[in-house]
Amino acid sequence: VSFPWQKREISNFDYLMYLNTLAGRSYNDYMQYPVFPWVLADYHSETLDLTNPHTFRDLSKPMGAQTVERKRKFIQRFNEVEKNLSARCHYCTHYSSAIIVASYLVRMEPFTQTFCSLQGGSFDVADRMFHSVKSTWESASRDNMSDVRELIPEFFYLPEFLTNANHFELGCMQDGTVLGDVQLPPWADGDPHKFILLHRQALESDYVSAHLHCWIDLIFGHKQHGSAAVEAVNTYHPYFYGDKVDLNNVKDPLIKSTILGFISNFGQIPKQV
């Protein structure tokens, strides 16, 4: 049986939205917001070559395994099981959470207020704010062991979230850079509309169409948990697996509130589709 998506009758974007909805993700819930993949690995070229496989992120691997060295460190963490971890896992942070969603959309209301309330009433330290697509990719794919974030749908259709049209005072970074509009890759020519156009073309490209099912297996499918997830370097703290934590059986109110706080702060694995 061949499905409409396999026959290219529906776009990759529409298919991902459909899967997110099936898995219980919704724009109405920051903790279970639709999750989309990073699809590109090239944020430095002057022009974007969508015929070159090296332009793209490896969709068969989670963000924690995009480089050999990073993957090795997370496997080491899994095998060592630090004393303060209650369970074996590769990642103690998540690829989608309320704070990740709000940080991406911080330049637009009502997300500005949401972000500030999640941060305790003010913007975060400027150096930690979302300010550059390239540096966010480098953090999530290579540099930061506590950052494995993926993207949100807006990266593929909404240029407005990339500009600071409301002139919020987002602070100044240590190197003196004043935060304003999001810094875009050279191939976008400083134009948010061009960034969205090319990014959407990348999502719908032949390369992504041929490999997207691998990412879907990691996020929504059989590599989400169990031995397949261990093999794929794709296991998260047990509290992130909402359907695996039966809060009705947790009698201690302190433990229950800790688990709930953990889930609301750090995110939740989608329901398996």
Side-chain angles (χ1 to χ4, degrees):
V1 181
S2 155
F3 297 102
W5 176 61
Q6 290 171 310
K7 291 191 278 189
R8 305 291 283 272
E9 287 171 6
I10 63 170
S11 66
N12 291 338
F13 183 91
D14 287 341
Y15 187 55
L16 286 170
M17 282 307 299
Y18 173 68
L19 288 174
N20 270 287
T21 305
L22 271 185
R25 316 286 291 186
S26 159
Y27 282 120
N28 300 323
D29 185 350
Y30 293 147
M31 290 187 285
Q32 295 200 71
Y33 207 78
V35 55
F36 267 57
W38 287 95
V39 292
L40 293 173
D42 181 353
Y43 298 96
H44 55 268
S45 297
E46 294 296 325
T47 54
L48 195 61
D49 181 2
L50 297 180
T51 62
N52 181 356
H54 295 296
T55 298
F56 298 92
R57 165 257 179 104
D58 186 342
L59 287 158
S60 69
K61 295 185 175 72
M63 289 304 289
Q66 289 296 309
T67 71
V68 174
E69 174 62 13
R70 187 169 160 89
K71 180 180 176 183
R72 186 189 63 76
K73 285 182 183 166
F74 279 120
I75 291 173
Q76 188 180 357
R77 172 191 283 179
F78 181 87
N79 291 333
E80 284 174 359
V81 192
E82 293 154 21
K83 297 286 183 286
N84 59 349
L85 290 182
S86 56
R88 295 181 85 180
C89 62
H90 294 107
Y91 314 115
C92 305
T93 53
H94 199 255
Y95 48 76
S96 174
S97 66
I99 197 70
I100 290 171
V101 172
S103 70
Y104 281 145
L105 299 173
V106 70
R107 290 163 179 79
M108 292 170 61
E109 290 289 15
F111 303 98
T112 314
Q113 293 304 316
T114 304
F115 182 82
C116 288
S117 64
L118 288 168
Q119 281 291 338
S122 61
F123 291 121
D124 197 2
V125 177
D127 286 80
R128 287 204 299 260
M129 297 275 285
F130 172 54
H131 67 277
S132 152
V133 180
K134 178 175 182 275
S135 65
T136 303
W137 160 256
E138 288 171 350
S139 170
S141 67
R142 189 187 72 202
D143 297 339
N144 185 346
M145 289 290 283
S146 61
D147 183 3
V148 291
R149 78 189 107 163
E150 292 278 9
L151 298 182
I152 53 175
E154 284 82 352
F155 273 85
F156 300 94
Y157 69 82
L158 190 71
E160 286 78 9
F161 88 98
L162 297 164
T163 61
N164 186 20
N166 293 314
H167 305 293
F168 291 120
E169 293 187 10
L170 301 170
C172 182
M173 294 169 63
Q174 284 181 335
D175 65 6
T177 307
V178 177
L179 261 55
D181 296 346
V182 175
Q183 292 169 13
L184 302 174
W187 46 258
D189 296 326
D191 180 351
H193 289 85
K194 185 172 182 183
F195 172 83
I196 294 291
L197 177 70
L198 290 172
H199 204 215
R200 183 66 172 263
Q201 286 175 359
L203 178 65
E204 303 300 341
S205 67
D206 290 342
Y207 180 91
V208 172
S209 297
H211 296 88
L212 188 57
H213 66 281
C214 300
W215 183 83
I216 290 168
D217 286 343
L218 293 168
I219 307 297
F220 300 106
H222 73 287
K223 292 184 179 174
Q224 215 189 49
H225 51 75
S227 57
V230 174
E231 205 172 313
V233 194
N234 193 41
T235 64
Y236 297 81
H237 192 286
Y239 290 170
F240 295 150
Y241 297 88
D243 54 344
K244 302 279 181 288
V245 181
D246 186 0
L247 286 171
N248 296 324
N249 287 336
V250 180
K251 297 291 179 265
D252 187 323
L254 189 63
I255 294 175
K256 186 179 277 196
S257 70
T258 302
I259 294 172
L260 285 169
F262 205 91
I263 294 167
S264 65
N265 282 322
F266 295 110
Q268 222 169 329
I269 302 284
K271 289 193 186 79
Q272 194 167 5
V273 175

